[in-house]
Amino acid sequence: MSRIRVLLVDDSDVFLNVEERWLSKDPLVQIVGRAHSGQEAVEQVTRLRPDLVVMDVTMRDMNGLEATRQIKAKPGAPRIVLLTVETNAEFKAAAEAVKVDGFLAKAQLSTMLLPLLSTLFSNSKDKNAEDKRRAKVVAKRSKRRPKR
């Protein structure tokens, strides 16, 4: 199973350090970069091509909502999980409007992010496993057919 390539985005170095240290413990996660603003995130996504961006909503220069909108407008856009201190209905509605893949309170990061990643990435991995299983079945069946 391939690792999930992750770009972390937050204007707080302290939070980025904690987030990177925690996520790096998971063998399925590979941190490929860090950004400190939404604009930097947009640039890093183009350069690094991560599978996932974990991004703060509230940042200087360009916020996470606008960065998500710009990233999702590109072909082959990564999945994006937005993090926020406040999870009010207004932020959640704005996140849904830009087609975010996940929305979590920062306080939920240690308990909810990995299960969310499992959900977000299991479909593609399950599909690949199912395709391989089917290919094996087809190969076995073709060996059993009598020659004409």
Side-chain angles (χ1 to χ4, degrees), residues 3-9 19 22-23 28-34 41 44-45 48-55 71-72 76-83 100-104 109 113-114 116-121 125:
R3 296 173 79 187
I4 301 168
R5 297 171 39 83
V6 180
L7 172 65
L8 304 176
V9 185
E19 187 177 25
W22 178 74
L23 281 171
L28 294 179
V29 173
Q30 177 186 9
I31 306 301
V32 295
R34 295 166 46 145
Q44 294 275 22
V45 164
L48 299 172
R49 306 197 47 82
D51 303 311
L52 173 71
V53 177
V54 179
M55 181 164 34
I71 292 167
K72 288 292 191 177
R79 291 178 173 96
I80 299 177
V81 173
L82 288 180
L83 303 175
V100 71
D101 298 287
F103 184 79
L104 297 173
L109 183 70
L113 184 59
L114 292 178
L116 177 59
L117 296 187
S118 178
T119 301
L120 289 175
F121 289 93
K125 288 177 176 48

mmCIF file of all heavy atoms in Angstrom, residues 3-9 19 22-23 28-34 41 44-45 48-55 71-72 76-83 100-104 109 113-114 116-121 125:
data_model
loop_
_atom_site.group_PDB
_atom_site.id
_atom_site.type_symbol
_atom_site.label_atom_id
_atom_site.label_comp_id
_atom_site.label_asym_id
_atom_site.label_seq_id
_atom_site.Cartn_x
_atom_site.Cartn_y
_atom_site.Cartn_z
ATOM 1 N N ARG A 3 2.062 5.167 0.484
ATOM 2 C CA ARG A 3 1.878 6.143 1.554
ATOM 3 C C ARG A 3 1.076 7.335 1.045
ATOM 4 O O ARG A 3 1.124 7.662 -0.143
ATOM 5 C CB ARG A 3 3.229 6.591 2.072
ATOM 6 C CG ARG A 3 3.999 5.425 2.714
ATOM 7 C CD ARG A 3 5.393 5.808 3.079
ATOM 8 N NE ARG A 3 5.371 6.560 4.328
ATOM 9 C CZ ARG A 3 6.434 7.151 4.839
ATOM 10 N NH1 ARG A 3 7.589 7.094 4.225
ATOM 11 N NH2 ARG A 3 6.355 7.820 5.968
ATOM 12 N N ILE A 4 0.377 7.996 1.952
ATOM 13 C CA ILE A 4 -0.400 9.191 1.628
ATOM 14 C C ILE A 4 0.541 10.387 1.749
ATOM 15 O O ILE A 4 1.077 10.667 2.828
ATOM 16 C CB ILE A 4 -1.601 9.346 2.587
ATOM 17 C CG1 ILE A 4 -2.503 8.131 2.504
ATOM 18 C CG2 ILE A 4 -2.369 10.633 2.267
ATOM 19 C CD1 ILE A 4 -3.548 8.058 3.617
ATOM 20 N N ARG A 5 0.743 11.083 0.641
ATOM 21 C CA ARG A 5 1.634 12.245 0.601
ATOM 22 C C ARG A 5 0.861 13.474 1.095
ATOM 23 O O ARG A 5 -0.141 13.848 0.501
ATOM 24 C CB ARG A 5 2.149 12.453 -0.818
ATOM 25 C CG ARG A 5 3.006 11.288 -1.321
ATOM 26 C CD ARG A 5 3.347 11.387 -2.801
ATOM 27 N NE ARG A 5 3.654 12.725 -3.267
ATOM 28 C CZ ARG A 5 4.847 13.328 -3.152
ATOM 29 N NH1 ARG A 5 5.839 12.701 -2.590
ATOM 30 N NH2 ARG A 5 5.017 14.561 -3.608
ATOM 31 N N VAL A 6 1.360 14.087 2.185
ATOM 32 C CA VAL A 6 0.613 15.141 2.872
ATOM 33 C C VAL A 6 1.372 16.456 2.882
ATOM 34 O O VAL A 6 2.566 16.493 3.190
ATOM 35 C CB VAL A 6 0.298 14.718 4.329
ATOM 36 C CG1 VAL A 6 -0.484 15.806 5.054
ATOM 37 C CG2 VAL A 6 -0.471 13.394 4.354
ATOM 38 N N LEU A 7 0.649 17.530 2.559
ATOM 39 C CA LEU A 7 1.143 18.900 2.704
ATOM 40 C C LEU A 7 0.424 19.511 3.897
ATOM 41 O O LEU A 7 -0.810 19.492 3.951
ATOM 42 C CB LEU A 7 0.851 19.717 1.438
ATOM 43 C CG LEU A 7 1.139 21.219 1.522
ATOM 44 C CD1 LEU A 7 2.639 21.492 1.715
ATOM 45 C CD2 LEU A 7 0.627 21.926 0.268
ATOM 46 N N LEU A 8 1.180 20.043 4.858
ATOM 47 C CA LEU A 8 0.614 20.686 6.042
ATOM 48 C C LEU A 8 0.648 22.197 5.863
ATOM 49 O O LEU A 8 1.672 22.746 5.435
ATOM 50 C CB LEU A 8 1.422 20.308 7.289
ATOM 51 C CG LEU A 8 1.559 18.814 7.574
ATOM 52 C CD1 LEU A 8 2.473 18.585 8.773
ATOM 53 C CD2 LEU A 8 0.197 18.185 7.798
ATOM 54 N N VAL A 9 -0.470 22.866 6.197
ATOM 55 C CA VAL A 9 -0.551 24.317 5.999
ATOM 56 C C VAL A 9 -1.148 24.977 7.239
ATOM 57 O O VAL A 9 -2.281 24.689 7.632
ATOM 58 C CB VAL A 9 -1.433 24.668 4.776
ATOM 59 C CG1 VAL A 9 -1.394 26.171 4.514
ATOM 60 C CG2 VAL A 9 -1.017 23.881 3.545
ATOM 61 N N GLU A 19 1.785 18.943 14.607
ATOM 62 C CA GLU A 19 1.045 18.185 13.601
ATOM 63 C C GLU A 19 1.979 17.246 12.823
ATOM 64 O O GLU A 19 1.661 16.065 12.616
ATOM 65 C CB GLU A 19 0.363 19.178 12.653
ATOM 66 C CG GLU A 19 -0.575 18.602 11.665
ATOM 67 C CD GLU A 19 -1.237 19.686 10.825
ATOM 68 O OE1 GLU A 19 -0.672 20.799 10.649
ATOM 69 O OE2 GLU A 19 -2.328 19.407 10.319
ATOM 70 N N TRP A 22 3.229 14.342 15.065
ATOM 71 C CA TRP A 22 2.160 13.375 15.319
ATOM 72 C C TRP A 22 1.847 12.543 14.075
ATOM 73 O O TRP A 22 1.785 11.315 14.139
ATOM 74 C CB TRP A 22 0.905 14.105 15.826
ATOM 75 C CG TRP A 22 -0.228 13.192 16.067
ATOM 76 C CD1 TRP A 22 -0.372 12.318 17.100
ATOM 77 C CD2 TRP A 22 -1.386 13.039 15.260
ATOM 78 N NE1 TRP A 22 -1.551 11.625 16.974
ATOM 79 C CE2 TRP A 22 -2.188 12.057 15.846
ATOM 80 C CE3 TRP A 22 -1.819 13.642 14.082
ATOM 81 C CZ2 TRP A 22 -3.402 11.663 15.305
ATOM 82 C CZ3 TRP A 22 -3.022 13.255 13.547
ATOM 83 C CH2 TRP A 22 -3.801 12.281 14.157
ATOM 84 N N LEU A 23 1.660 13.194 12.923
ATOM 85 C CA LEU A 23 1.319 12.457 11.705
ATOM 86 C C LEU A 23 2.471 11.586 11.204
ATOM 87 O O LEU A 23 2.241 10.527 10.609
ATOM 88 C CB LEU A 23 0.909 13.419 10.585
ATOM 89 C CG LEU A 23 -0.515 13.948 10.670
ATOM 90 C CD1 LEU A 23 -0.738 15.041 9.644
ATOM 91 C CD2 LEU A 23 -1.517 12.832 10.482
ATOM 92 N N LEU A 28 1.644 5.072 7.181
ATOM 93 C CA LEU A 28 0.980 5.309 5.898
ATOM 94 C C LEU A 28 1.018 6.776 5.470
ATOM 95 O O LEU A 28 0.535 7.123 4.409
ATOM 96 C CB LEU A 28 -0.469 4.827 5.952
ATOM 97 C CG LEU A 28 -0.642 3.324 6.116
ATOM 98 C CD1 LEU A 28 -2.116 2.963 6.176
ATOM 99 C CD2 LEU A 28 0.044 2.572 4.994
ATOM 100 N N VAL A 29 1.595 7.633 6.320
ATOM 101 C CA VAL A 29 1.630 9.070 6.043
ATOM 102 C C VAL A 29 3.064 9.500 5.757
ATOM 103 O O VAL A 29 3.987 9.151 6.481
ATOM 104 C CB VAL A 29 1.057 9.872 7.229
ATOM 105 C CG1 VAL A 29 1.256 11.362 7.030
ATOM 106 C CG2 VAL A 29 -0.407 9.545 7.431
ATOM 107 N N GLN A 30 3.229 10.271 4.695
ATOM 108 C CA GLN A 30 4.527 10.865 4.357
ATOM 109 C C GLN A 30 4.328 12.371 4.233
ATOM 110 O O GLN A 30 3.592 12.832 3.349
ATOM 111 C CB GLN A 30 5.055 10.296 3.045
ATOM 112 C CG GLN A 30 6.353 10.924 2.607
ATOM 113 C CD GLN A 30 6.793 10.460 1.222
ATOM 114 O OE1 GLN A 30 6.050 9.796 0.512
ATOM 115 N NE2 GLN A 30 7.987 10.829 0.840
ATOM 116 N N ILE A 31 4.952 13.135 5.107
ATOM 117 C CA ILE A 31 4.868 14.597 5.035
ATOM 118 C C ILE A 31 5.809 15.047 3.916
ATOM 119 O O ILE A 31 7.011 14.811 3.975
ATOM 120 C CB ILE A 31 5.273 15.257 6.372
ATOM 121 C CG1 ILE A 31 4.462 14.683 7.549
ATOM 122 C CG2 ILE A 31 5.126 16.776 6.270
ATOM 123 C CD1 ILE A 31 2.976 14.844 7.455
ATOM 124 N N VAL A 32 5.238 15.687 2.885
ATOM 125 C CA VAL A 32 6.058 16.111 1.748
ATOM 126 C C VAL A 32 6.351 17.606 1.751
ATOM 127 O O VAL A 32 7.170 18.078 0.965
ATOM 128 C CB VAL A 32 5.418 15.702 0.400
ATOM 129 C CG1 VAL A 32 5.370 14.190 0.277
ATOM 130 C CG2 VAL A 32 4.049 16.322 0.216
ATOM 131 N N GLY A 33 5.668 18.353 2.629
ATOM 132 C CA GLY A 33 5.926 19.780 2.667
ATOM 133 C C GLY A 33 5.098 20.500 3.709
ATOM 134 O O GLY A 33 4.176 19.927 4.294
ATOM 135 N N ARG A 34 5.484 21.755 3.912
ATOM 136 C CA ARG A 34 4.789 22.644 4.850
ATOM 137 C C ARG A 34 4.636 24.002 4.187
ATOM 138 O O ARG A 34 5.507 24.426 3.431
ATOM 139 C CB ARG A 34 5.600 22.804 6.134
ATOM 140 C CG ARG A 34 5.737 21.544 6.922
ATOM 141 C CD ARG A 34 6.797 21.621 8.007
ATOM 142 N NE ARG A 34 6.773 22.801 8.821
ATOM 143 C CZ ARG A 34 7.065 22.834 10.121
ATOM 144 N NH1 ARG A 34 7.393 21.732 10.743
ATOM 145 N NH2 ARG A 34 7.025 23.945 10.807
ATOM 146 N N ALA A 41 0.360 27.530 -0.039
ATOM 147 C CA ALA A 41 -0.239 26.196 -0.223
ATOM 148 C C ALA A 41 -0.571 25.943 -1.691
ATOM 149 O O ALA A 41 -0.282 24.869 -2.224
ATOM 150 C CB ALA A 41 -1.500 26.050 0.632
ATOM 151 N N GLN A 44 2.663 25.266 -3.439
ATOM 152 C CA GLN A 44 3.249 23.974 -3.043
ATOM 153 C C GLN A 44 2.477 22.800 -3.646
ATOM 154 O O GLN A 44 3.077 21.787 -4.005
ATOM 155 C CB GLN A 44 3.266 23.835 -1.515
ATOM 156 C CG GLN A 44 4.173 24.811 -0.824
ATOM 157 C CD GLN A 44 5.614 24.333 -0.755
ATOM 158 O OE1 GLN A 44 6.047 23.486 -1.532
ATOM 159 N NE2 GLN A 44 6.356 24.883 0.172
ATOM 160 N N VAL A 45 1.160 22.913 -3.757
ATOM 161 C CA VAL A 45 0.368 21.826 -4.347
ATOM 162 C C VAL A 45 0.800 21.600 -5.792
ATOM 163 O O VAL A 45 0.955 20.455 -6.228
ATOM 164 C CB VAL A 45 -1.146 22.121 -4.245
ATOM 165 C CG1 VAL A 45 -1.950 21.226 -5.181
ATOM 166 C CG2 VAL A 45 -1.619 21.945 -2.809
ATOM 167 N N LEU A 48 4.553 20.076 -5.410
ATOM 168 C CA LEU A 48 4.743 18.809 -4.690
ATOM 169 C C LEU A 48 3.744 17.706 -5.065
ATOM 170 O O LEU A 48 3.994 16.541 -4.811
ATOM 171 C CB LEU A 48 4.662 19.054 -3.174
ATOM 172 C CG LEU A 48 5.711 20.006 -2.605
ATOM 173 C CD1 LEU A 48 5.401 20.307 -1.137
ATOM 174 C CD2 LEU A 48 7.098 19.409 -2.754
ATOM 175 N N ARG A 49 2.586 18.087 -5.561
ATOM 176 C CA ARG A 49 1.524 17.154 -5.956
ATOM 177 C C ARG A 49 1.164 16.171 -4.828
ATOM 178 O O ARG A 49 1.239 14.955 -5.002
ATOM 179 C CB ARG A 49 1.892 16.430 -7.230
ATOM 180 C CG ARG A 49 2.257 17.421 -8.348
ATOM 181 C CD ARG A 49 2.268 16.936 -9.740
ATOM 182 N NE ARG A 49 1.137 16.159 -10.188
ATOM 183 C CZ ARG A 49 -0.026 16.660 -10.612
ATOM 184 N NH1 ARG A 49 -0.214 17.959 -10.624
ATOM 185 N NH2 ARG A 49 -0.978 15.876 -11.033
ATOM 186 N N PRO A 50 0.765 16.697 -3.657
ATOM 187 C CA PRO A 50 0.400 15.816 -2.546
ATOM 188 C C PRO A 50 -0.942 15.118 -2.809
ATOM 189 O O PRO A 50 -1.726 15.562 -3.657
ATOM 190 C CB PRO A 50 0.280 16.786 -1.370
ATOM 191 C CG PRO A 50 -0.157 18.069 -2.011
ATOM 192 C CD PRO A 50 0.581 18.105 -3.335
ATOM 193 N N ASP A 51 -1.189 14.048 -2.063
ATOM 194 C CA ASP A 51 -2.488 13.371 -2.105
ATOM 195 C C ASP A 51 -3.484 14.089 -1.216
ATOM 196 O O ASP A 51 -4.689 14.019 -1.431
ATOM 197 C CB ASP A 51 -2.354 11.927 -1.591
ATOM 198 C CG ASP A 51 -1.338 11.136 -2.370
ATOM 199 O OD1 ASP A 51 -1.408 11.156 -3.611
ATOM 200 O OD2 ASP A 51 -0.469 10.493 -1.737
ATOM 201 N N LEU A 52 -2.960 14.765 -0.193
ATOM 202 C CA LEU A 52 -3.791 15.396 0.826
ATOM 203 C C LEU A 52 -3.158 16.693 1.297
ATOM 204 O O LEU A 52 -1.941 16.765 1.480
ATOM 205 C CB LEU A 52 -3.933 14.444 2.032
ATOM 206 C CG LEU A 52 -4.630 14.991 3.265
ATOM 207 C CD1 LEU A 52 -6.127 15.158 3.016
ATOM 208 C CD2 LEU A 52 -4.402 14.082 4.457
ATOM 209 N N VAL A 53 -4.012 17.694 1.508
ATOM 210 C CA VAL A 53 -3.591 18.951 2.138
ATOM 211 C C VAL A 53 -4.388 19.077 3.428
ATOM 212 O O VAL A 53 -5.611 18.984 3.420
ATOM 213 C CB VAL A 53 -3.877 20.169 1.228
ATOM 214 C CG1 VAL A 53 -3.487 21.466 1.932
ATOM 215 C CG2 VAL A 53 -3.154 20.033 -0.103
ATOM 216 N N VAL A 54 -3.669 19.243 4.546
ATOM 217 C CA VAL A 54 -4.309 19.497 5.840
ATOM 218 C C VAL A 54 -4.012 20.952 6.146
ATOM 219 O O VAL A 54 -2.861 21.328 6.346
ATOM 220 C CB VAL A 54 -3.763 18.563 6.945
ATOM 221 C CG1 VAL A 54 -4.439 18.871 8.278
ATOM 222 C CG2 VAL A 54 -3.960 17.100 6.564
ATOM 223 N N MET A 55 -5.086 21.795 6.160
ATOM 224 C CA MET A 55 -4.885 23.241 6.141
ATOM 225 C C MET A 55 -5.779 23.963 7.150
ATOM 226 O O MET A 55 -6.959 23.642 7.293
ATOM 227 C CB MET A 55 -5.193 23.745 4.719
ATOM 228 C CG MET A 55 -5.012 25.208 4.514
ATOM 229 S SD MET A 55 -4.923 25.723 2.763
ATOM 230 C CE MET A 55 -5.993 24.635 1.889
ATOM 231 N N ILE A 71 -7.237 25.515 -5.284
ATOM 232 C CA ILE A 71 -6.637 24.189 -5.461
ATOM 233 C C ILE A 71 -7.628 23.235 -6.115
ATOM 234 O O ILE A 71 -7.295 22.502 -7.043
ATOM 235 C CB ILE A 71 -6.134 23.636 -4.106
ATOM 236 C CG1 ILE A 71 -4.947 24.462 -3.610
ATOM 237 C CG2 ILE A 71 -5.774 22.152 -4.223
ATOM 238 C CD1 ILE A 71 -4.565 24.210 -2.157
ATOM 239 N N LYS A 72 -8.880 23.254 -5.653
ATOM 240 C CA LYS A 72 -9.896 22.338 -6.176
ATOM 241 C C LYS A 72 -10.279 22.667 -7.623
ATOM 242 O O LYS A 72 -10.809 21.814 -8.328
ATOM 243 C CB LYS A 72 -11.150 22.349 -5.293
ATOM 244 C CG LYS A 72 -10.967 21.659 -3.953
ATOM 245 C CD LYS A 72 -10.790 20.171 -4.150
ATOM 246 C CE LYS A 72 -10.878 19.416 -2.849
ATOM 247 N NZ LYS A 72 -10.786 17.977 -3.034
ATOM 248 N N GLY A 76 -6.905 17.143 -11.174
ATOM 249 C CA GLY A 76 -6.122 16.254 -10.317
ATOM 250 C C GLY A 76 -5.887 16.809 -8.929
ATOM 251 O O GLY A 76 -4.881 16.496 -8.292
ATOM 252 N N ALA A 77 -6.804 17.640 -8.450
ATOM 253 C CA ALA A 77 -6.645 18.274 -7.143
ATOM 254 C C ALA A 77 -6.579 17.231 -6.026
ATOM 255 O O ALA A 77 -7.266 16.211 -6.078
ATOM 256 C CB ALA A 77 -7.803 19.232 -6.879
ATOM 257 N N PRO A 78 -5.763 17.496 -5.010
ATOM 258 C CA PRO A 78 -5.690 16.578 -3.874
ATOM 259 C C PRO A 78 -6.928 16.700 -2.991
ATOM 260 O O PRO A 78 -7.717 17.642 -3.124
ATOM 261 C CB PRO A 78 -4.452 17.067 -3.118
ATOM 262 C CG PRO A 78 -4.402 18.528 -3.411
ATOM 263 C CD PRO A 78 -4.884 18.653 -4.841
ATOM 264 N N ARG A 79 -7.082 15.768 -2.091
ATOM 265 C CA ARG A 79 -8.118 15.896 -1.073
ATOM 266 C C ARG A 79 -7.649 16.963 -0.086
ATOM 267 O O ARG A 79 -6.442 17.125 0.122
ATOM 268 C CB ARG A 79 -8.331 14.562 -0.385
ATOM 269 C CG ARG A 79 -8.975 13.555 -1.324
ATOM 270 C CD ARG A 79 -9.137 12.223 -0.617
ATOM 271 N NE ARG A 79 -9.897 11.300 -1.434
ATOM 272 C CZ ARG A 79 -9.365 10.376 -2.232
ATOM 273 N NH1 ARG A 79 -8.050 10.262 -2.313
ATOM 274 N NH2 ARG A 79 -10.132 9.567 -2.925
ATOM 275 N N ILE A 80 -8.610 17.663 0.505
ATOM 276 C CA ILE A 80 -8.271 18.742 1.442
ATOM 277 C C ILE A 80 -9.101 18.596 2.702
ATOM 278 O O ILE A 80 -10.324 18.448 2.641
ATOM 279 C CB ILE A 80 -8.503 20.139 0.819
ATOM 280 C CG1 ILE A 80 -7.614 20.312 -0.412
ATOM 281 C CG2 ILE A 80 -8.245 21.237 1.848
ATOM 282 C CD1 ILE A 80 -7.806 21.614 -1.157
ATOM 283 N N VAL A 81 -8.410 18.643 3.846
ATOM 284 C CA VAL A 81 -9.066 18.664 5.151
ATOM 285 C C VAL A 81 -8.744 20.014 5.769
ATOM 286 O O VAL A 81 -7.570 20.376 5.897
ATOM 287 C CB VAL A 81 -8.559 17.520 6.059
ATOM 288 C CG1 VAL A 81 -9.139 17.665 7.463
ATOM 289 C CG2 VAL A 81 -8.915 16.169 5.465
ATOM 290 N N LEU A 82 -9.781 20.752 6.123
ATOM 291 C CA LEU A 82 -9.595 22.046 6.767
ATOM 292 C C LEU A 82 -9.703 21.885 8.274
ATOM 293 O O LEU A 82 -10.547 21.140 8.774
ATOM 294 C CB LEU A 82 -10.641 23.049 6.281
ATOM 295 C CG LEU A 82 -10.482 23.556 4.850
ATOM 296 C CD1 LEU A 82 -11.591 24.540 4.510
ATOM 297 C CD2 LEU A 82 -9.123 24.205 4.642
ATOM 298 N N LEU A 83 -8.839 22.627 8.972
ATOM 299 C CA LEU A 83 -8.825 22.643 10.430
ATOM 300 C C LEU A 83 -9.159 24.043 10.912
ATOM 301 O O LEU A 83 -8.772 25.029 10.278
ATOM 302 C CB LEU A 83 -7.439 22.271 10.957
ATOM 303 C CG LEU A 83 -6.863 20.929 10.523
ATOM 304 C CD1 LEU A 83 -5.442 20.789 11.046
ATOM 305 C CD2 LEU A 83 -7.730 19.792 11.007
ATOM 306 N N VAL A 100 -14.574 21.082 0.211
ATOM 307 C CA VAL A 100 -13.562 20.501 1.077
ATOM 308 C C VAL A 100 -13.922 19.037 1.352
ATOM 309 O O VAL A 100 -15.091 18.667 1.335
ATOM 310 C CB VAL A 100 -13.442 21.336 2.379
ATOM 311 C CG1 VAL A 100 -14.639 21.160 3.267
ATOM 312 C CG2 VAL A 100 -12.186 21.024 3.123
ATOM 313 N N ASP A 101 -12.922 18.196 1.549
ATOM 314 C CA ASP A 101 -13.155 16.766 1.774
ATOM 315 C C ASP A 101 -13.345 16.421 3.245
ATOM 316 O O ASP A 101 -13.859 15.353 3.571
ATOM 317 C CB ASP A 101 -11.986 15.957 1.202
ATOM 318 C CG ASP A 101 -11.862 16.165 -0.289
ATOM 319 O OD1 ASP A 101 -12.700 15.638 -1.027
ATOM 320 O OD2 ASP A 101 -10.935 16.890 -0.711
ATOM 321 N N GLY A 102 -12.896 17.304 4.118
ATOM 322 C CA GLY A 102 -13.057 17.089 5.552
ATOM 323 C C GLY A 102 -12.933 18.403 6.281
ATOM 324 O O GLY A 102 -12.255 19.335 5.815
ATOM 325 N N PHE A 103 -13.593 18.496 7.430
ATOM 326 C CA PHE A 103 -13.603 19.727 8.207
ATOM 327 C C PHE A 103 -13.561 19.334 9.676
ATOM 328 O O PHE A 103 -14.476 18.662 10.165
ATOM 329 C CB PHE A 103 -14.877 20.525 7.889
ATOM 330 C CG PHE A 103 -14.965 21.861 8.565
ATOM 331 C CD1 PHE A 103 -14.268 22.940 8.061
ATOM 332 C CD2 PHE A 103 -15.749 22.031 9.684
ATOM 333 C CE1 PHE A 103 -14.349 24.183 8.673
ATOM 334 C CE2 PHE A 103 -15.836 23.271 10.305
ATOM 335 C CZ PHE A 103 -15.136 24.350 9.788
ATOM 336 N N LEU A 104 -12.477 19.696 10.380
ATOM 337 C CA LEU A 104 -12.302 19.294 11.774
ATOM 338 C C LEU A 104 -11.885 20.473 12.646
ATOM 339 O O LEU A 104 -11.169 21.364 12.188
ATOM 340 C CB LEU A 104 -11.205 18.229 11.897
ATOM 341 C CG LEU A 104 -11.399 16.900 11.213
ATOM 342 C CD1 LEU A 104 -10.126 16.074 11.329
ATOM 343 C CD2 LEU A 104 -12.581 16.164 11.807
ATOM 344 N N LEU A 109 -8.102 16.923 16.119
ATOM 345 C CA LEU A 109 -7.059 16.421 15.229
ATOM 346 C C LEU A 109 -6.544 15.043 15.650
ATOM 347 O O LEU A 109 -6.506 14.115 14.849
ATOM 348 C CB LEU A 109 -5.895 17.413 15.162
ATOM 349 C CG LEU A 109 -4.767 17.046 14.217
ATOM 350 C CD1 LEU A 109 -5.224 17.157 12.775
ATOM 351 C CD2 LEU A 109 -3.567 17.935 14.460
ATOM 352 N N LEU A 113 -8.562 12.801 12.786
ATOM 353 C CA LEU A 113 -7.912 12.914 11.477
ATOM 354 C C LEU A 113 -7.575 11.557 10.861
ATOM 355 O O LEU A 113 -7.889 11.312 9.707
ATOM 356 C CB LEU A 113 -6.665 13.792 11.543
ATOM 357 C CG LEU A 113 -5.994 14.029 10.179
ATOM 358 C CD1 LEU A 113 -6.960 14.691 9.192
ATOM 359 C CD2 LEU A 113 -4.739 14.860 10.325
ATOM 360 N N LEU A 114 -6.960 10.658 11.615
ATOM 361 C CA LEU A 114 -6.588 9.370 11.031
ATOM 362 C C LEU A 114 -7.803 8.547 10.603
ATOM 363 O O LEU A 114 -7.790 7.976 9.505
ATOM 364 C CB LEU A 114 -5.668 8.594 11.973
ATOM 365 C CG LEU A 114 -4.280 9.220 12.141
ATOM 366 C CD1 LEU A 114 -3.449 8.422 13.132
ATOM 367 C CD2 LEU A 114 -3.556 9.368 10.823
ATOM 368 N N LEU A 116 -10.571 9.790 9.551
ATOM 369 C CA LEU A 116 -11.037 10.492 8.355
ATOM 370 C C LEU A 116 -10.163 10.127 7.156
ATOM 371 O O LEU A 116 -10.680 9.861 6.067
ATOM 372 C CB LEU A 116 -11.037 12.002 8.583
ATOM 373 C CG LEU A 116 -11.436 12.867 7.391
ATOM 374 C CD1 LEU A 116 -12.836 12.518 6.896
ATOM 375 C CD2 LEU A 116 -11.348 14.341 7.750
ATOM 376 N N LEU A 117 -8.850 10.075 7.346
ATOM 377 C CA LEU A 117 -7.954 9.693 6.253
ATOM 378 C C LEU A 117 -8.252 8.276 5.785
ATOM 379 O O LEU A 117 -8.237 7.994 4.587
ATOM 380 C CB LEU A 117 -6.486 9.791 6.682
ATOM 381 C CG LEU A 117 -5.962 11.167 7.044
ATOM 382 C CD1 LEU A 117 -4.459 11.109 7.283
ATOM 383 C CD2 LEU A 117 -6.297 12.187 5.995
ATOM 384 N N SER A 118 -8.521 7.407 6.727
ATOM 385 C CA SER A 118 -8.875 6.029 6.374
ATOM 386 C C SER A 118 -10.109 6.008 5.481
ATOM 387 O O SER A 118 -10.152 5.297 4.479
ATOM 388 C CB SER A 118 -9.108 5.227 7.649
ATOM 389 O OG SER A 118 -9.479 3.923 7.336
ATOM 390 N N THR A 119 -11.093 6.809 5.818
ATOM 391 C CA THR A 119 -12.318 6.896 5.012
ATOM 392 C C THR A 119 -12.042 7.520 3.649
ATOM 393 O O THR A 119 -12.471 7.009 2.625
ATOM 394 C CB THR A 119 -13.384 7.730 5.753
ATOM 395 O OG1 THR A 119 -13.666 7.106 7.001
ATOM 396 C CG2 THR A 119 -14.649 7.847 4.935
ATOM 397 N N LEU A 120 -11.293 8.613 3.634
ATOM 398 C CA LEU A 120 -11.025 9.324 2.379
ATOM 399 C C LEU A 120 -10.202 8.499 1.394
ATOM 400 O O LEU A 120 -10.404 8.584 0.190
ATOM 401 C CB LEU A 120 -10.284 10.639 2.649
ATOM 402 C CG LEU A 120 -11.061 11.762 3.305
ATOM 403 C CD1 LEU A 120 -10.133 12.933 3.614
ATOM 404 C CD2 LEU A 120 -12.213 12.208 2.432
ATOM 405 N N PHE A 121 -9.276 7.706 1.908
ATOM 406 C CA PHE A 121 -8.361 6.988 1.022
ATOM 407 C C PHE A 121 -8.661 5.507 0.895
ATOM 408 O O PHE A 121 -8.067 4.833 0.064
ATOM 409 C CB PHE A 121 -6.914 7.215 1.462
ATOM 410 C CG PHE A 121 -6.450 8.614 1.179
ATOM 411 C CD1 PHE A 121 -6.563 9.602 2.135
ATOM 412 C CD2 PHE A 121 -5.964 8.950 -0.064
ATOM 413 C CE1 PHE A 121 -6.168 10.904 1.871
ATOM 414 C CE2 PHE A 121 -5.561 10.249 -0.343
ATOM 415 C CZ PHE A 121 -5.668 11.228 0.624
ATOM 416 N N LYS A 125 -7.924 2.638 -2.445
ATOM 417 C CA LYS A 125 -7.091 1.476 -2.126
ATOM 418 C C LYS A 125 -7.904 0.190 -2.228
ATOM 419 O O LYS A 125 -7.433 -0.820 -2.728
ATOM 420 C CB LYS A 125 -6.484 1.634 -0.740
ATOM 421 C CG LYS A 125 -5.392 2.691 -0.711
ATOM 422 C CD LYS A 125 -4.868 2.877 0.673
ATOM 423 C CE LYS A 125 -3.717 3.825 0.781
ATOM 424 N NZ LYS A 125 -3.813 5.064 0.147
#
